[in-house]
Amino acid sequence: MRIGELSRRTGVAVPTIKYYVREGLLPAGRLTSPNQADYDDSHIRRLRLIRGLMDVGGLSVSVVREVLAAVDAPEEPVHKVLGAAQEAITPPTVGEPDGLDEARRAVAEFIRRRGWRVDPGHVSAEALAVALATFRGIGHGAFEEVLDDYAVACERIAAADLAYVGRQVDVDSLVESVVVGTVLGDAVLSAMRRLAHVDGSARQYEG
Amino acid sequence: MRIGELSRRTGVAVPTIKYYVREGLLPAGRLTSPNQADYDDSHIRRLRLIRGLMDVGGLSVSVVREVLAAVDAPEEPVHKVLGAAQEAITPPTVGEPDGLDEARRAVAEFIRRRGWRVDPGHVSAEALAVALATFRGIGHGAFEEVLDDYAVACERIAAADLAYVGRQVDVDSLVESVVVGTVLGDAVLSAMRRLAHVDGSARQYEG
DNA sequence: CCATGATAGATAGCCTGGCTATCCGGTCAG
DNA sequence: CTGACCGGATAGCCAGGCTATCTATCATGG
């Protein structure tokens, strides 16, 4: 198909598609003549993935580029893909909050306590430390008391995620499901957590 | 204290503080003369809250303004504050994905199945529907099979969150903890989920 | 009591990110 | 053959989050 049809079938404007190609998010179409190119279903799928990562996952163009590079890396083991995806989507810390070192120690202790096989210097551990330090900085240090409840929940979620990923048959789907599950799974989880808040709040304060 | 000290003690540049005052995020200092104002600890605390919501929670200035309006609303019941916070932080849907109506029905059925006391038209239910429709659109509709595992985890998380909120003694802290727990709690949860992924992946694929 | 540095408030400008508009020579379909 | 469409390139637009500059005005140490 040509670019007009690709645009119609995905709802993405033609200049935007061209922009994504320039930015390296979307492979160019196969040229059939100097100014005609052919796009196929893989382009439709890729475009939908791009818009999903941006609109639902809130990723920027440059982060989407990195994430897709991880998706396209041929035959990387799951552990590598997961690491690359996490590195890509974790935004660099903006302003170091006070008490970050103490929070880092709390996170290291937390990881040890749970017996998790994670390097305490991992980007996601650092992200957790930044969040905890921020809690403390605004006078909500006691939030740390719920960490273990969160951890139990996360263990269950991670098990479900890994089971879902493991169910994929071909390698491409598997790798993509790691990335998609990581990014869009966050959106699902936070939306669902909010629904559970509403439910709990209704039970506790209304009925 | 004067604005220079406020800047030094929070790490926020003076022109930025003025900008936040202009934008209605931060109350102006108490004027002691036409060009001198006095700031106190409440300004420090508020500034840290603003930066936390922006840097860790990823909120925009306009969303922070709405969220803080909910925090400042005097004596609203928890249920109202929670609803206002959720409305404020839920970004308007960018581009409606295909199959959204079907996803809405799946969400309504999910809520019914869990027995949650939530209006299926709630903003967070809509956000969940958008995420699920996006999963389907990129060929990962089977992700819905993990929804119930997520739900069990979310019920546990929400219970912990409500217990934490209920532990606050004064009304101001309580209201603030609802907002902070909703926004920054997301950051904690997604960081922790990723750590659990790394752990699970290490166990499954390495050892 | 005055020189120096900080201050409030207002206005204008800067920079990044994500598009969007325009143009050009060329292609294709009826 | 003609009018819609195309690929590729360049330039422009707009929102968001600051940042710089200016004008009085204030405060305080010598």
Side-chain angles (χ1 to χ4, degrees):
Chain A
M1 84 193 77
R2 296 188 298 172
I3 201 170
E5 188 179 346
L6 180 60
S7 169
R8 246 171 288 118
R9 291 183 42 186
T10 58
V12 180
V14 169
T16 304
I17 295 175
K18 290 181 176 183
Y19 169 67
Y20 291 160
V21 171
R22 278 202 307 280
E23 292 294 318
L25 307 191
L26 184 70
R30 190 179 51 83
L31 279 181
T32 58
S33 63
N35 68 338
Q36 298 287 298
D38 193 52
Y39 301 87
D40 58 27
D41 284 347
S42 75
H43 292 91
I44 293 184
R45 190 181 161 87
R46 173 56 66 98
L47 260 182
R48 284 208 251 259
L49 176 57
I50 292 168
R51 298 313 301 238
L53 294 175
M54 295 180 74
D55 296 345
V56 178
L59 303 191
S60 68
V61 164
S62 62
V63 169
V64 169
R65 180 168 42 230
E66 291 177 56
V67 165
L68 292 179
V71 169
D72 293 335
E75 310 256 349
E76 287 280 0
V78 166
H79 208 63
K80 280 275 175 70
V81 173
L82 181 64
Q86 293 198 6
E87 295 256 349
I89 65 179
T90 304
T93 304
V94 181
E96 300 220 337
D98 285 350
L100 183 53
D101 274 342
E102 202 184 330
R104 284 197 186 104
R105 283 192 292 277
V107 168
E109 157 62 16
F110 166 79
I111 290 173
R112 198 204 51 70
R113 190 167 71 236
R114 303 301 313 179
W116 286 357
R117 301 188 187 178
V118 184
D119 173 8
H122 191 277
V123 288
S124 298
E126 179 73 7
L128 180 56
V130 168
L132 291 185
T134 302
F135 265 105
R136 284 192 191 174
I138 57 182
H140 286 272
F143 187 83
E144 284 181 29
E145 290 163 25
V146 307
L147 282 193
D148 284 289
D149 282 304
Y150 272 53
V152 171
C154 284
E155 285 162 3
R156 174 165 201 144
I157 290 166
D161 288 335
L162 281 168
Y164 173 73
V165 166
R167 202 176 306 151
Q168 306 299 311
V169 285
D170 61 304
V171 174
D172 284 354
S173 299
L174 188 144
V175 163
E176 194 184 271
S177 71
V178 170
V179 165
V180 164
T182 300
V183 176
L184 300 191
D186 265 6
V188 167
L189 182 56
S190 65
M192 199 183 283
R193 172 172 171 258
R194 281 171 208 165
L195 291 179
H197 281 162
V198 173
D199 171 63
S201 159
R203 285 171 196 281
Q204 186 162 335
Y205 295 96
E206 279 185 353
Chain B
M1 87 195 74
R2 297 189 297 172
I3 203 171
E5 189 179 345
L6 180 60
S7 168
R8 246 172 288 117
R9 292 180 46 186
T10 58
V12 179
V14 169
T16 305
I17 295 174
K18 291 183 176 182
Y19 169 66
Y20 291 160
V21 172
R22 278 202 306 281
E23 292 295 319
L25 308 191
L26 184 70
R30 191 179 47 84
L31 278 180
T32 59
S33 62
N35 68 334
Q36 299 284 296
D38 193 52
Y39 302 87
D40 58 26
D41 284 349
S42 74
H43 293 91
I44 292 183
R45 189 182 161 84
R46 174 56 66 98
L47 258 182
R48 283 209 250 261
L49 177 57
I50 292 168
R51 297 313 300 239
L53 294 175
M54 294 181 75
D55 295 346
V56 178
L59 304 192
S60 68
V61 165
S62 62
V63 170
V64 169
R65 180 170 39 232
E66 290 177 56
V67 166
L68 292 179
V71 168
D72 293 335
E75 311 256 346
E76 287 280 0
V78 166
H79 208 64
K80 281 273 174 72
V81 173
L82 181 65
Q86 292 198 6
E87 296 256 348
I89 65 181
T90 305
T93 303
V94 180
E96 300 222 338
D98 286 349
L100 182 53
D101 274 340
E102 201 184 332
R104 283 197 186 105
R105 283 192 291 275
V107 168
E109 157 62 16
F110 166 80
I111 289 172
R112 198 204 52 69
R113 190 167 70 235
R114 304 300 313 179
W116 285 358
R117 300 189 187 176
V118 184
D119 174 6
H122 192 277
V123 286
S124 298
E126 179 72 8
L128 180 56
V130 169
L132 291 185
T134 303
F135 265 105
R136 284 192 190 173
I138 58 183
H140 286 271
F143 187 83
E144 283 180 32
E145 289 163 26
V146 307
L147 282 193
D148 283 289
D149 283 303
Y150 271 53
V152 172
C154 284
E155 284 163 4
R156 173 165 200 145
I157 290 167
D161 288 335
L162 281 168
Y164 174 71
V165 166
R167 202 177 306 151
Q168 306 299 311
V169 284
D170 61 303
V171 174
D172 284 353
S173 299
L174 188 144
V175 163
E176 194 183 271
S177 71
V178 170
V179 165
V180 164
T182 300
V183 176
L184 300 191
D186 265 6
V188 167
L189 184 57
S190 65
M192 197 182 283
R193 172 172 171 258
R194 280 169 209 169
L195 291 178
H197 281 162
V198 173
D199 171 63
S201 158
R203 286 172 196 281
Q204 186 162 336
Y205 295 97
E206 280 184 351

Short mmCIF file of all heavy atoms in Angstrom, two decimals, chain B residues 49-93:
data_model
loop_
_atom_site.label_atom_id
_atom_site.label_comp_id
_atom_site.label_asym_id
_atom_site.label_seq_id
_atom_site.Cartn_x
_atom_site.Cartn_y
_atom_site.Cartn_z
N LEU B 49 6.81 19.61 47.48
CA LEU B 49 5.67 18.84 46.97
C LEU B 49 5.52 19.07 45.47
O LEU B 49 5.36 18.12 44.68
CB LEU B 49 4.40 19.24 47.71
CG LEU B 49 3.09 18.59 47.26
CD1 LEU B 49 3.18 17.07 47.32
CD2 LEU B 49 1.91 19.08 48.10
N ILE B 50 5.60 20.32 45.06
CA ILE B 50 5.49 20.65 43.64
C ILE B 50 6.56 19.91 42.83
O ILE B 50 6.27 19.27 41.83
CB ILE B 50 5.63 22.18 43.42
CG1 ILE B 50 4.43 22.92 44.00
CG2 ILE B 50 5.79 22.51 41.94
CD1 ILE B 50 4.62 24.43 44.10
N ARG B 51 7.81 20.01 43.28
CA ARG B 51 8.88 19.36 42.54
C ARG B 51 8.73 17.85 42.55
O ARG B 51 9.05 17.18 41.57
CB ARG B 51 10.25 19.76 43.10
CG ARG B 51 10.56 21.24 42.99
CD ARG B 51 10.25 21.79 41.61
NE ARG B 51 11.00 21.15 40.56
CZ ARG B 51 11.82 21.77 39.73
NH1 ARG B 51 11.98 23.08 39.82
NH2 ARG B 51 12.43 21.11 38.80
N GLY B 52 8.25 17.31 43.64
CA GLY B 52 8.03 15.86 43.68
C GLY B 52 6.97 15.44 42.67
O GLY B 52 7.15 14.48 41.92
N LEU B 53 5.87 16.18 42.64
CA LEU B 53 4.79 15.83 41.71
C LEU B 53 5.27 15.95 40.26
O LEU B 53 4.91 15.15 39.41
CB LEU B 53 3.57 16.74 41.93
CG LEU B 53 2.86 16.57 43.28
CD1 LEU B 53 1.75 17.61 43.43
CD2 LEU B 53 2.29 15.17 43.43
N MET B 54 6.11 16.96 39.99
CA MET B 54 6.59 17.16 38.62
C MET B 54 7.71 16.17 38.27
O MET B 54 7.65 15.49 37.25
CB MET B 54 7.09 18.59 38.44
CG MET B 54 5.98 19.62 38.53
SD MET B 54 6.57 21.33 38.29
CE MET B 54 6.82 21.35 36.52
N ASP B 55 8.74 16.12 39.11
CA ASP B 55 9.93 15.34 38.76
C ASP B 55 9.70 13.84 38.90
O ASP B 55 10.15 13.05 38.07
CB ASP B 55 11.11 15.75 39.65
CG ASP B 55 11.54 17.19 39.41
OD1 ASP B 55 11.12 17.76 38.39
OD2 ASP B 55 12.29 17.73 40.23
N VAL B 56 9.05 13.43 39.96
CA VAL B 56 8.84 12.00 40.20
C VAL B 56 7.52 11.54 39.61
O VAL B 56 7.43 10.49 38.98
CB VAL B 56 8.91 11.68 41.70
CG1 VAL B 56 8.66 10.20 41.95
CG2 VAL B 56 10.26 12.08 42.28
N GLY B 57 6.48 12.36 39.79
CA GLY B 57 5.17 11.98 39.29
C GLY B 57 4.95 12.30 37.83
O GLY B 57 4.02 11.80 37.22
N GLY B 58 5.82 13.15 37.28
CA GLY B 58 5.71 13.48 35.86
C GLY B 58 4.54 14.38 35.51
O GLY B 58 4.10 14.42 34.36
N LEU B 59 4.01 15.11 36.48
CA LEU B 59 2.87 15.97 36.20
C LEU B 59 3.31 17.30 35.59
O LEU B 59 4.40 17.79 35.85
CB LEU B 59 2.08 16.25 37.49
CG LEU B 59 1.57 15.04 38.28
CD1 LEU B 59 0.58 15.49 39.35
CD2 LEU B 59 0.93 14.01 37.37
N SER B 60 2.43 17.88 34.79
CA SER B 60 2.70 19.19 34.20
C SER B 60 2.29 20.27 35.19
O SER B 60 1.58 20.01 36.16
CB SER B 60 1.91 19.36 32.91
OG SER B 60 0.54 19.45 33.21
N VAL B 61 2.72 21.48 34.91
CA VAL B 61 2.38 22.60 35.77
C VAL B 61 0.87 22.74 35.93
O VAL B 61 0.36 22.93 37.04
CB VAL B 61 2.99 23.91 35.22
CG1 VAL B 61 2.36 25.13 35.86
CG2 VAL B 61 4.50 23.92 35.46
N SER B 62 0.14 22.62 34.84
CA SER B 62 -1.31 22.84 34.95
C SER B 62 -1.97 21.73 35.75
O SER B 62 -2.92 21.98 36.50
CB SER B 62 -1.93 22.98 33.57
OG SER B 62 -1.74 21.80 32.83
N VAL B 63 -1.47 20.51 35.62
CA VAL B 63 -2.04 19.41 36.39
C VAL B 63 -1.69 19.56 37.86
O VAL B 63 -2.52 19.32 38.73
CB VAL B 63 -1.55 18.05 35.83
CG1 VAL B 63 -1.93 16.92 36.77
CG2 VAL B 63 -2.14 17.81 34.46
N VAL B 64 -0.46 19.99 38.14
CA VAL B 64 -0.08 20.22 39.53
C VAL B 64 -1.01 21.27 40.14
O VAL B 64 -1.45 21.13 41.29
CB VAL B 64 1.39 20.68 39.64
CG1 VAL B 64 1.70 21.18 41.04
CG2 VAL B 64 2.32 19.54 39.28
N ARG B 65 -1.33 22.29 39.38
CA ARG B 65 -2.24 23.31 39.89
C ARG B 65 -3.59 22.71 40.29
O ARG B 65 -4.11 22.99 41.38
CB ARG B 65 -2.45 24.41 38.84
CG ARG B 65 -3.38 25.52 39.31
CD ARG B 65 -3.37 26.69 38.34
NE ARG B 65 -3.31 26.25 36.97
CZ ARG B 65 -2.44 26.67 36.06
NH1 ARG B 65 -1.55 27.57 36.39
NH2 ARG B 65 -2.48 26.21 34.83
N GLU B 66 -4.13 21.86 39.43
CA GLU B 66 -5.42 21.23 39.76
C GLU B 66 -5.30 20.33 40.97
O GLU B 66 -6.19 20.32 41.84
CB GLU B 66 -5.91 20.40 38.57
CG GLU B 66 -6.34 21.23 37.37
CD GLU B 66 -6.74 20.33 36.21
OE1 GLU B 66 -7.63 19.48 36.40
OE2 GLU B 66 -6.15 20.45 35.12
N VAL B 67 -4.22 19.57 41.01
CA VAL B 67 -4.03 18.64 42.13
C VAL B 67 -3.91 19.40 43.44
O VAL B 67 -4.51 19.02 44.46
CB VAL B 67 -2.78 17.77 41.88
CG1 VAL B 67 -2.36 17.07 43.15
CG2 VAL B 67 -3.04 16.75 40.78
N LEU B 68 -3.17 20.50 43.42
CA LEU B 68 -3.00 21.27 44.64
C LEU B 68 -4.30 21.94 45.06
O LEU B 68 -4.55 22.14 46.25
CB LEU B 68 -1.89 22.30 44.46
CG LEU B 68 -0.49 21.71 44.31
CD1 LEU B 68 0.54 22.81 44.11
CD2 LEU B 68 -0.12 20.88 45.52
N ALA B 69 -5.12 22.27 44.08
CA ALA B 69 -6.43 22.83 44.41
C ALA B 69 -7.23 21.82 45.22
O ALA B 69 -7.93 22.17 46.17
CB ALA B 69 -7.17 23.22 43.13
N ALA B 70 -7.10 20.54 44.84
CA ALA B 70 -7.79 19.50 45.59
C ALA B 70 -7.21 19.39 47.01
O ALA B 70 -7.94 19.22 47.99
CB ALA B 70 -7.67 18.15 44.87
N VAL B 71 -5.88 19.52 47.10
CA VAL B 71 -5.23 19.45 48.41
C VAL B 71 -5.70 20.60 49.29
O VAL B 71 -5.93 20.42 50.49
CB VAL B 71 -3.69 19.49 48.26
CG1 VAL B 71 -3.02 19.71 49.61
CG2 VAL B 71 -3.18 18.22 47.62
N ASP B 72 -5.86 21.76 48.68
CA ASP B 72 -6.20 22.94 49.47
C ASP B 72 -7.69 23.07 49.77
O ASP B 72 -8.07 23.91 50.58
CB ASP B 72 -5.72 24.21 48.74
CG ASP B 72 -4.19 24.26 48.68
OD1 ASP B 72 -3.56 23.65 49.54
OD2 ASP B 72 -3.65 24.91 47.76
N ALA B 73 -8.50 22.29 49.09
CA ALA B 73 -9.93 22.37 49.34
C ALA B 73 -10.17 21.98 50.80
O ALA B 73 -9.80 20.89 51.20
CB ALA B 73 -10.70 21.44 48.40
N PRO B 74 -10.77 22.86 51.54
CA PRO B 74 -10.86 22.63 52.98
C PRO B 74 -11.86 21.53 53.32
O PRO B 74 -13.01 21.58 52.91
CB PRO B 74 -11.32 23.97 53.53
CG PRO B 74 -12.02 24.63 52.39
CD PRO B 74 -11.49 24.05 51.12
N GLU B 75 -11.37 20.52 54.01
CA GLU B 75 -12.25 19.54 54.64
C GLU B 75 -13.13 18.74 53.69
O GLU B 75 -14.18 18.27 54.06
CB GLU B 75 -13.18 20.25 55.66
CG GLU B 75 -12.43 21.16 56.60
CD GLU B 75 -12.27 20.56 57.99
OE1 GLU B 75 -12.95 19.58 58.31
OE2 GLU B 75 -11.44 21.08 58.75
N GLU B 76 -12.66 18.59 52.46
CA GLU B 76 -13.42 17.71 51.59
C GLU B 76 -13.30 16.28 52.14
O GLU B 76 -12.26 15.91 52.67
CB GLU B 76 -12.84 17.75 50.17
CG GLU B 76 -13.14 19.02 49.41
CD GLU B 76 -14.54 19.01 48.83
OE1 GLU B 76 -15.27 18.02 49.02
OE2 GLU B 76 -14.92 20.02 48.21
N PRO B 77 -14.33 15.47 51.97
CA PRO B 77 -14.20 14.07 52.40
C PRO B 77 -13.21 13.33 51.50
O PRO B 77 -13.01 13.71 50.34
CB PRO B 77 -15.61 13.52 52.23
CG PRO B 77 -16.29 14.43 51.29
CD PRO B 77 -15.67 15.78 51.48
N VAL B 78 -12.60 12.30 52.04
CA VAL B 78 -11.56 11.55 51.33
C VAL B 78 -12.03 11.11 49.95
O VAL B 78 -11.29 11.23 48.96
CB VAL B 78 -11.14 10.31 52.16
CG1 VAL B 78 -10.34 9.35 51.32
CG2 VAL B 78 -10.32 10.75 53.36
N HIS B 79 -13.23 10.63 49.88
CA HIS B 79 -13.74 10.12 48.62
C HIS B 79 -13.72 11.20 47.54
O HIS B 79 -13.35 10.96 46.39
CB HIS B 79 -15.16 9.59 48.83
CG HIS B 79 -15.52 8.50 47.88
ND1 HIS B 79 -14.88 7.28 47.87
CD2 HIS B 79 -16.46 8.44 46.91
CE1 HIS B 79 -15.41 6.51 46.94
NE2 HIS B 79 -16.37 7.20 46.32
N LYS B 80 -14.10 12.41 47.93
CA LYS B 80 -14.11 13.54 46.99
C LYS B 80 -12.70 13.91 46.55
O LYS B 80 -12.44 14.15 45.38
CB LYS B 80 -14.77 14.76 47.65
CG LYS B 80 -16.29 14.73 47.67
CD LYS B 80 -16.87 15.32 46.39
CE LYS B 80 -18.39 15.17 46.31
NZ LYS B 80 -19.08 16.08 47.25
N VAL B 81 -11.79 13.99 47.52
CA VAL B 81 -10.41 14.35 47.20
C VAL B 81 -9.81 13.32 46.24
O VAL B 81 -9.16 13.68 45.25
CB VAL B 81 -9.55 14.43 48.48
CG1 VAL B 81 -8.09 14.63 48.13
CG2 VAL B 81 -10.05 15.54 49.38
N LEU B 82 -10.06 12.06 46.54
CA LEU B 82 -9.53 11.01 45.69
C LEU B 82 -10.06 11.16 44.27
O LEU B 82 -9.30 11.08 43.29
CB LEU B 82 -9.93 9.64 46.26
CG LEU B 82 -9.43 8.42 45.50
CD1 LEU B 82 -7.92 8.34 45.55
CD2 LEU B 82 -10.04 7.14 46.06
N GLY B 83 -11.35 11.40 44.16
CA GLY B 83 -11.96 11.57 42.84
C GLY B 83 -11.36 12.76 42.11
O GLY B 83 -11.00 12.66 40.94
N ALA B 84 -11.21 13.88 42.82
CA ALA B 84 -10.65 15.08 42.18
C ALA B 84 -9.22 14.84 41.73
O ALA B 84 -8.83 15.23 40.62
CB ALA B 84 -10.71 16.25 43.16
N ALA B 85 -8.45 14.17 42.58
CA ALA B 85 -7.05 13.90 42.22
C ALA B 85 -6.99 13.00 40.98
O ALA B 85 -6.22 13.26 40.06
CB ALA B 85 -6.33 13.23 43.39
N GLN B 86 -7.82 11.99 40.96
CA GLN B 86 -7.81 11.08 39.82
C GLN B 86 -8.23 11.79 38.54
O GLN B 86 -7.64 11.59 37.48
CB GLN B 86 -8.72 9.88 40.08
CG GLN B 86 -8.19 8.98 41.18
CD GLN B 86 -8.83 7.59 41.16
OE1 GLN B 86 -9.60 7.26 40.27
NE2 GLN B 86 -8.50 6.79 42.15
N GLU B 87 -9.25 12.64 38.65
CA GLU B 87 -9.68 13.41 37.47
C GLU B 87 -8.55 14.27 36.96
O GLU B 87 -8.30 14.39 35.77
CB GLU B 87 -10.86 14.32 37.84
CG GLU B 87 -12.12 13.60 38.24
CD GLU B 87 -13.16 13.61 37.13
OE1 GLU B 87 -12.98 14.37 36.15
OE2 GLU B 87 -14.15 12.86 37.25
N ALA B 88 -7.83 14.90 37.92
CA ALA B 88 -6.79 15.85 37.52
C ALA B 88 -5.62 15.15 36.84
O ALA B 88 -5.10 15.64 35.83
CB ALA B 88 -6.30 16.63 38.73
N ILE B 89 -5.21 14.01 37.37
CA ILE B 89 -3.99 13.40 36.84
C ILE B 89 -4.23 12.51 35.65
O ILE B 89 -3.28 12.09 35.00
CB ILE B 89 -3.25 12.57 37.92
CG1 ILE B 89 -4.08 11.38 38.34
CG2 ILE B 89 -2.90 13.43 39.11
CD1 ILE B 89 -3.41 10.55 39.40
N THR B 90 -5.50 12.20 35.35
CA THR B 90 -5.75 11.35 34.19
C THR B 90 -5.71 12.22 32.93
O THR B 90 -6.57 13.07 32.76
CB THR B 90 -7.12 10.65 34.31
OG1 THR B 90 -7.16 9.94 35.54
CG2 THR B 90 -7.32 9.70 33.15
N PRO B 91 -4.72 12.01 32.08
CA PRO B 91 -4.63 12.85 30.89
C PRO B 91 -5.78 12.53 29.95
O PRO B 91 -6.21 11.37 29.89
CB PRO B 91 -3.28 12.44 30.27
CG PRO B 91 -3.00 11.08 30.78
CD PRO B 91 -3.69 10.96 32.10
N PRO B 92 -6.28 13.53 29.25
CA PRO B 92 -7.36 13.27 28.28
C PRO B 92 -6.86 12.30 27.23
O PRO B 92 -5.69 12.34 26.83
CB PRO B 92 -7.63 14.64 27.67
CG PRO B 92 -6.41 15.46 27.95
CD PRO B 92 -5.85 14.93 29.23
N THR B 93 -7.73 11.39 26.82
CA THR B 93 -7.35 10.40 25.82
C THR B 93 -6.84 11.09 24.56
O THR B 93 -7.46 12.01 24.06
CB THR B 93 -8.57 9.52 25.47
OG1 THR B 93 -9.03 8.92 26.67
CG2 THR B 93 -8.18 8.44 24.49
#
